[in-house]
Amino acid sequence: MADPDVNEVFEKCLGCRYMVGILRHIQAGVNRPGQLERAVDGLTAKVLSERLRRLVEFRVVEKQSYAETPPRVEYHLTPFGARLLEIVEEVERLQKEATRA
Amino acid sequence: MADPDVNEVFEKCLGCRYMVGILRHIQAGVNRPGQLERAVDGLTAKVLSERLRRLVEFRVVEKQSYAETPPRVEYHLTPFGARLLEIVEEVERLQKEATRA
DNA sequence: CGGAATCCAAGAAGATACTG
DNA sequence: CAGTATCTTCTTGGATTCCG
């Protein structure tokens, strides 16, 4: 990114529909588009590819293409993406605490 | 919240336009709607009140009304909200690191 | 299979006017 | 000053189709 603005990570990445679900599946080893599409409820191929492009743009995931037939593509978390996921977990914990209280 | 879903915090709170800006101003002591509206560039009264309602709903901020004339209202971070802001800071740090790398 | 293009429906946001 | 209601505009997401 040219202008690393924290607002953008939230508005254009984490805040978009399906994003947290997609990321968690990637984290769990669901790395191919077709699998992600089936794994995340309601998610369509078009929206998924938009999300993945956005995640690559923000350096949250990295794309790997293999010159095979049929073509295979995999997405993996970057170190930044991995930290981001930890933070999502942290928010989830905070939320549960706050709810219990 | 009845159903504390971490997706919702991102999609309906942090991921919305102006949200991070609004929260940071509240954190910095800009607690009244009128002041927030002037402080956050491009933000209108209508959108601001939507955001504030959402933040109250998610227990990120608390609303305090004073029976004065003219009426005065203040919004303050809850403990959960304060932790959330710390996390925003953390993401910002990570982002800068990732950019430097 | 992965992904881009198109078209349409749904939701978010901007502008304005109005009430307590 | 704070907040709601209405209307319009723009952006996002959903369904389908086509290409490499």
Side-chain angles (χ1 to χ4, degrees):
Chain A
M1 272 174 299
D3 179 17
D5 181 359
V6 73
N7 302 295
E8 299 230 314
V9 189
F10 289 103
E11 292 181 21
K12 299 193 174 172
C13 283
L14 297 173
C16 291
R17 199 167 179 186
Y18 306 115
M19 266 302 192
V20 173
I22 292 171
L23 284 170
R24 282 182 154 168
H25 277 95
I26 293 178
Q27 181 188 40
V30 183
N31 305 101
R32 300 182 57 179
Q35 316 227 299
L36 285 165
E37 187 183 345
R38 271 169 263 128
V40 179
D41 190 71
L43 178 62
T44 65
K46 178 211 163 197
V47 173
L48 171 61
S49 80
E50 287 173 355
R51 295 294 174 274
L52 291 171
R53 192 157 28 76
R54 188 64 65 74
L55 290 172
V56 170
E57 181 190 337
F58 279 81
R59 308 277 193 274
V60 176
V61 304
E62 270 175 348
K63 177 179 181 174
Q64 220 162 77
S65 302
Y66 300 88
E68 306 172 356
T69 46
R72 181 164 60 99
V73 174
E74 288 183 6
Y75 291 87
H76 294 272
L77 292 179
T78 62
F80 173 57
R83 287 289 294 115
L84 224 47
L85 261 290
E86 289 177 27
I87 280 170
V88 171
E89 299 298 326
E90 171 69 5
V91 171
E92 194 164 45
R93 279 192 295 273
L94 287 174
Q95 218 176 2
K96 281 177 186 159
E97 279 178 37
T99 303
R100 261 201 309 278
Chain B
M1 275 174 297
D3 179 16
D5 181 0
V6 73
N7 303 295
E8 300 230 314
V9 189
F10 288 104
E11 292 181 20
K12 300 192 175 174
C13 282
L14 297 174
C16 290
R17 202 165 177 186
Y18 309 114
M19 267 302 193
V20 173
I22 291 170
L23 284 171
R24 283 183 153 169
H25 277 94
I26 292 178
Q27 182 188 39
V30 183
N31 305 101
R32 301 183 56 178
Q35 316 227 298
L36 285 165
E37 186 182 347
R38 272 170 263 127
V40 180
D41 190 69
L43 178 62
T44 67
K46 179 211 162 196
V47 173
L48 172 61
S49 81
E50 286 173 357
R51 295 294 173 274
L52 291 171
R53 191 156 29 76
R54 188 64 66 74
L55 289 172
V56 169
E57 178 190 339
F58 279 80
R59 306 278 195 275
V60 177
V61 304
E62 271 177 348
K63 176 178 180 175
Q64 219 162 82
S65 303
Y66 299 88
E68 306 172 355
T69 46
R72 181 164 60 101
V73 174
E74 289 184 4
Y75 291 87
H76 294 272
L77 293 178
T78 62
F80 174 57
R83 287 288 296 116
L84 225 47
L85 261 290
E86 288 176 28
I87 280 169
V88 171
E89 301 297 326
E90 171 69 5
V91 171
E92 193 163 47
R93 280 192 296 274
L94 288 173
Q95 218 175 3
K96 282 177 184 157
E97 278 178 38
T99 303
R100 261 201 309 280

